[in-house]
Amino acid sequence: MSATTTRAMRVLLVDDDATFADILARALRRRGLEVVVVHTPDAAIERATAWAPTHALLDLNLNCETSGLALIAPLLDAAPGLRITVLTGYASIATTVAAIQRGAADYLAKPVDAPAVIAALSGHGDDAAEPAVEAPGQRMSLKRLEWEHIQRVLAEHDGNISEAARSLGLHRRTLQRKLDKRPVKF
């Protein structure tokens, strides 16, 4: 990717993890991108409206009642033509599909490095966004099936943990504990 292409990118980075966001923003700025970091959904919509970014990096699990999935449509309304890449430490097939259906252009699992992010932002990282899928003839473990089901139900409830917990027949704190764990392997 050329320097002129990256200089034209105005990236809105929405992540509640200030340390991660600052490190990633610095790495992207060193590569010539213009980056603004926000940590809340309200700040994201406000900056998208005022600043008109060309790209957005959106954390899926923001530490508030709003999921990154629910923020996709308002961001697209605030900045038409915005290319959104969803970042998450809790990748699942269900959330990948939900993000793409809502208008995200790409989906990356954390940890992720600056070159992979730039490739996704520019549309050259489409293969890297694929979540891990079971190999032919290999079955998912029971824990992985549970993780995928929880992610699907959470996506159906726009990331609302209380509603998803009710739907799953779990106590909210139990669901929160399950979500705090890393996704299990197949």
Side-chain angles (χ1 to χ4, degrees), residues 16 49 51 53 88 90 93 100 103 122 140 147 156 163 177:
D16 59 335
T49 303
W51 188 53
T88 184
Y90 305 95
I93 295 167
I100 301 301
S122 64
M140 276 193 237
W147 175 260
E156 288 171 3
E163 290 296 319
R177 278 193 301 273

PDB file of all heavy atoms in Angstrom, residues 16 49 51 53 88 90 93 100 103 122 140 147 156 163 177:
ATOM      1  N   ASP A  16     -12.884   0.736  24.128  1.00  0.00           N
ATOM      2  CA  ASP A  16     -12.917   1.130  25.530  1.00  0.00           C
ATOM      3  C   ASP A  16     -11.600   0.830  26.245  1.00  0.00           C
ATOM      4  O   ASP A  16     -11.366   1.330  27.332  1.00  0.00           O
ATOM      5  CB  ASP A  16     -14.082   0.454  26.253  1.00  0.00           C
ATOM      6  CG  ASP A  16     -14.004  -1.059  26.177  1.00  0.00           C
ATOM      7  OD1 ASP A  16     -13.379  -1.584  25.240  1.00  0.00           O
ATOM      8  OD2 ASP A  16     -14.589  -1.734  27.052  1.00  0.00           O
ATOM      9  N   THR A  49     -19.833  12.315  13.051  1.00  0.00           N
ATOM     10  CA  THR A  49     -20.618  13.382  12.445  1.00  0.00           C
ATOM     11  C   THR A  49     -19.764  14.622  12.174  1.00  0.00           C
ATOM     12  O   THR A  49     -19.810  15.190  11.086  1.00  0.00           O
ATOM     13  CB  THR A  49     -21.804  13.761  13.372  1.00  0.00           C
ATOM     14  OG1 THR A  49     -22.579  12.587  13.619  1.00  0.00           O
ATOM     15  CG2 THR A  49     -22.674  14.820  12.747  1.00  0.00           C
ATOM     16  N   TRP A  51     -16.293  14.944  12.214  1.00  0.00           N
ATOM     17  CA  TRP A  51     -14.989  14.775  11.575  1.00  0.00           C
ATOM     18  C   TRP A  51     -15.062  14.091  10.210  1.00  0.00           C
ATOM     19  O   TRP A  51     -14.169  14.212   9.393  1.00  0.00           O
ATOM     20  CB  TRP A  51     -14.082  13.995  12.528  1.00  0.00           C
ATOM     21  CG  TRP A  51     -12.662  13.889  12.110  1.00  0.00           C
ATOM     22  CD1 TRP A  51     -11.827  14.909  11.774  1.00  0.00           C
ATOM     23  CD2 TRP A  51     -11.903  12.687  12.007  1.00  0.00           C
ATOM     24  NE1 TRP A  51     -10.579  14.417  11.482  1.00  0.00           N
ATOM     25  CE2 TRP A  51     -10.597  13.048  11.614  1.00  0.00           C
ATOM     26  CE3 TRP A  51     -12.188  11.350  12.205  1.00  0.00           C
ATOM     27  CZ2 TRP A  51      -9.594  12.121  11.419  1.00  0.00           C
ATOM     28  CZ3 TRP A  51     -11.185  10.423  12.027  1.00  0.00           C
ATOM     29  CH2 TRP A  51      -9.903  10.809  11.627  1.00  0.00           C
ATOM     30  N   PRO A  53     -14.922  10.666   9.160  1.00  0.00           N
ATOM     31  CA  PRO A  53     -13.838   9.733   8.859  1.00  0.00           C
ATOM     32  C   PRO A  53     -14.160   8.888   7.627  1.00  0.00           C
ATOM     33  O   PRO A  53     -15.325   8.745   7.243  1.00  0.00           O
ATOM     34  CB  PRO A  53     -13.779   8.851  10.113  1.00  0.00           C
ATOM     35  CG  PRO A  53     -15.160   8.900  10.658  1.00  0.00           C
ATOM     36  CD  PRO A  53     -15.675  10.274  10.337  1.00  0.00           C
ATOM     37  N   THR A  88     -12.312  -7.586  17.719  1.00  0.00           N
ATOM     38  CA  THR A  88     -12.786  -8.237  18.932  1.00  0.00           C
ATOM     39  C   THR A  88     -11.804  -9.269  19.443  1.00  0.00           C
ATOM     40  O   THR A  88     -11.111  -9.914  18.664  1.00  0.00           O
ATOM     41  CB  THR A  88     -14.162  -8.903  18.719  1.00  0.00           C
ATOM     42  OG1 THR A  88     -14.614  -9.444  19.968  1.00  0.00           O
ATOM     43  CG2 THR A  88     -14.088 -10.003  17.689  1.00  0.00           C
ATOM     44  N   TYR A  90     -13.105 -11.641  21.165  1.00  0.00           N
ATOM     45  CA  TYR A  90     -14.051 -12.742  21.342  1.00  0.00           C
ATOM     46  C   TYR A  90     -14.689 -13.120  20.010  1.00  0.00           C
ATOM     47  O   TYR A  90     -15.897 -13.049  19.846  1.00  0.00           O
ATOM     48  CB  TYR A  90     -15.134 -12.351  22.350  1.00  0.00           C
ATOM     49  CG  TYR A  90     -14.556 -11.906  23.664  1.00  0.00           C
ATOM     50  CD1 TYR A  90     -14.345 -10.564  23.936  1.00  0.00           C
ATOM     51  CD2 TYR A  90     -14.187 -12.841  24.616  1.00  0.00           C
ATOM     52  CE1 TYR A  90     -13.792 -10.154  25.137  1.00  0.00           C
ATOM     53  CE2 TYR A  90     -13.637 -12.446  25.823  1.00  0.00           C
ATOM     54  CZ  TYR A  90     -13.445 -11.106  26.078  1.00  0.00           C
ATOM     55  OH  TYR A  90     -12.887 -10.712  27.267  1.00  0.00           O
ATOM     56  N   ILE A  93     -18.288 -17.050  14.844  1.00  0.00           N
ATOM     57  CA  ILE A  93     -18.939 -17.041  13.536  1.00  0.00           C
ATOM     58  C   ILE A  93     -20.204 -16.190  13.579  1.00  0.00           C
ATOM     59  O   ILE A  93     -20.463 -15.392  12.678  1.00  0.00           O
ATOM     60  CB  ILE A  93     -19.241 -18.484  13.083  1.00  0.00           C
ATOM     61  CG1 ILE A  93     -17.923 -19.239  12.869  1.00  0.00           C
ATOM     62  CG2 ILE A  93     -20.081 -18.492  11.811  1.00  0.00           C
ATOM     63  CD1 ILE A  93     -18.069 -20.727  12.728  1.00  0.00           C
ATOM     64  N   ILE A 100     -21.169  -8.207   9.584  1.00  0.00           N
ATOM     65  CA  ILE A 100     -21.185  -8.021   8.135  1.00  0.00           C
ATOM     66  C   ILE A 100     -22.603  -7.697   7.660  1.00  0.00           C
ATOM     67  O   ILE A 100     -22.807  -6.812   6.822  1.00  0.00           O
ATOM     68  CB  ILE A 100     -20.615  -9.254   7.401  1.00  0.00           C
ATOM     69  CG1 ILE A 100     -19.173  -9.533   7.851  1.00  0.00           C
ATOM     70  CG2 ILE A 100     -20.714  -9.100   5.899  1.00  0.00           C
ATOM     71  CD1 ILE A 100     -18.186  -8.418   7.621  1.00  0.00           C
ATOM     72  N   GLY A 103     -23.474  -4.102   8.111  1.00  0.00           N
ATOM     73  CA  GLY A 103     -22.782  -3.109   7.298  1.00  0.00           C
ATOM     74  C   GLY A 103     -21.287  -2.999   7.501  1.00  0.00           C
ATOM     75  O   GLY A 103     -20.640  -2.169   6.863  1.00  0.00           O
ATOM     76  N   SER A 122      -7.963  -1.119   4.043  1.00  0.00           N
ATOM     77  CA  SER A 122      -7.865  -0.859   2.601  1.00  0.00           C
ATOM     78  C   SER A 122      -8.618  -1.886   1.762  1.00  0.00           C
ATOM     79  O   SER A 122      -8.710  -1.741   0.548  1.00  0.00           O
ATOM     80  CB  SER A 122      -6.397  -0.826   2.181  1.00  0.00           C
ATOM     81  OG  SER A 122      -5.818  -2.099   2.385  1.00  0.00           O
ATOM     82  N   MET A 140     -16.982 -29.659  16.306  1.00  0.00           N
ATOM     83  CA  MET A 140     -16.707 -28.666  17.336  1.00  0.00           C
ATOM     84  C   MET A 140     -16.877 -29.316  18.698  1.00  0.00           C
ATOM     85  O   MET A 140     -17.744 -30.167  18.882  1.00  0.00           O
ATOM     86  CB  MET A 140     -17.705 -27.511  17.241  1.00  0.00           C
ATOM     87  CG  MET A 140     -17.357 -26.465  16.251  1.00  0.00           C
ATOM     88  SD  MET A 140     -18.387 -25.012  16.521  1.00  0.00           S
ATOM     89  CE  MET A 140     -19.131 -24.876  14.921  1.00  0.00           C
ATOM     90  N   TRP A 147     -20.138 -21.649  23.195  1.00  0.00           N
ATOM     91  CA  TRP A 147     -19.629 -20.303  22.918  1.00  0.00           C
ATOM     92  C   TRP A 147     -20.315 -19.709  21.687  1.00  0.00           C
ATOM     93  O   TRP A 147     -20.769 -18.568  21.701  1.00  0.00           O
ATOM     94  CB  TRP A 147     -18.114 -20.358  22.724  1.00  0.00           C
ATOM     95  CG  TRP A 147     -17.535 -19.040  22.320  1.00  0.00           C
ATOM     96  CD1 TRP A 147     -17.185 -18.659  21.070  1.00  0.00           C
ATOM     97  CD2 TRP A 147     -17.277 -17.911  23.143  1.00  0.00           C
ATOM     98  NE1 TRP A 147     -16.715 -17.373  21.064  1.00  0.00           N
ATOM     99  CE2 TRP A 147     -16.759 -16.887  22.331  1.00  0.00           C
ATOM    100  CE3 TRP A 147     -17.433 -17.661  24.509  1.00  0.00           C
ATOM    101  CZ2 TRP A 147     -16.404 -15.646  22.826  1.00  0.00           C
ATOM    102  CZ3 TRP A 147     -17.072 -16.421  24.998  1.00  0.00           C
ATOM    103  CH2 TRP A 147     -16.564 -15.434  24.164  1.00  0.00           C
ATOM    104  N   GLU A 156     -28.366 -11.582  18.500  1.00  0.00           N
ATOM    105  CA  GLU A 156     -29.803 -11.411  18.283  1.00  0.00           C
ATOM    106  C   GLU A 156     -30.390 -10.325  19.186  1.00  0.00           C
ATOM    107  O   GLU A 156     -31.384  -9.706  18.852  1.00  0.00           O
ATOM    108  CB  GLU A 156     -30.539 -12.725  18.539  1.00  0.00           C
ATOM    109  CG  GLU A 156     -30.310 -13.779  17.483  1.00  0.00           C
ATOM    110  CD  GLU A 156     -30.875 -15.144  17.870  1.00  0.00           C
ATOM    111  OE1 GLU A 156     -31.503 -15.273  18.955  1.00  0.00           O
ATOM    112  OE2 GLU A 156     -30.665 -16.084  17.087  1.00  0.00           O
ATOM    113  N   GLU A 163     -30.766  -9.068  28.316  1.00  0.00           N
ATOM    114  CA  GLU A 163     -31.755  -9.732  27.454  1.00  0.00           C
ATOM    115  C   GLU A 163     -31.260 -11.104  26.986  1.00  0.00           C
ATOM    116  O   GLU A 163     -32.015 -12.071  26.949  1.00  0.00           O
ATOM    117  CB  GLU A 163     -32.087  -8.860  26.243  1.00  0.00           C
ATOM    118  CG  GLU A 163     -32.885  -7.627  26.571  1.00  0.00           C
ATOM    119  CD  GLU A 163     -34.264  -7.958  27.115  1.00  0.00           C
ATOM    120  OE1 GLU A 163     -34.920  -8.890  26.602  1.00  0.00           O
ATOM    121  OE2 GLU A 163     -34.685  -7.286  28.075  1.00  0.00           O
ATOM    122  N   ARG A 177     -19.661 -13.889  33.205  1.00  0.00           N
ATOM    123  CA  ARG A 177     -18.459 -14.702  33.470  1.00  0.00           C
ATOM    124  C   ARG A 177     -18.087 -15.537  32.255  1.00  0.00           C
ATOM    125  O   ARG A 177     -16.919 -15.663  31.901  1.00  0.00           O
ATOM    126  CB  ARG A 177     -18.666 -15.603  34.687  1.00  0.00           C
ATOM    127  CG  ARG A 177     -18.432 -14.906  36.006  1.00  0.00           C
ATOM    128  CD  ARG A 177     -18.347 -15.887  37.148  1.00  0.00           C
ATOM    129  NE  ARG A 177     -19.538 -16.697  37.316  1.00  0.00           N
ATOM    130  CZ  ARG A 177     -20.605 -16.347  38.028  1.00  0.00           C
ATOM    131  NH1 ARG A 177     -20.625 -15.190  38.635  1.00  0.00           N
ATOM    132  NH2 ARG A 177     -21.623 -17.146  38.130  1.00  0.00           N
TER     133      ARG A 177
END
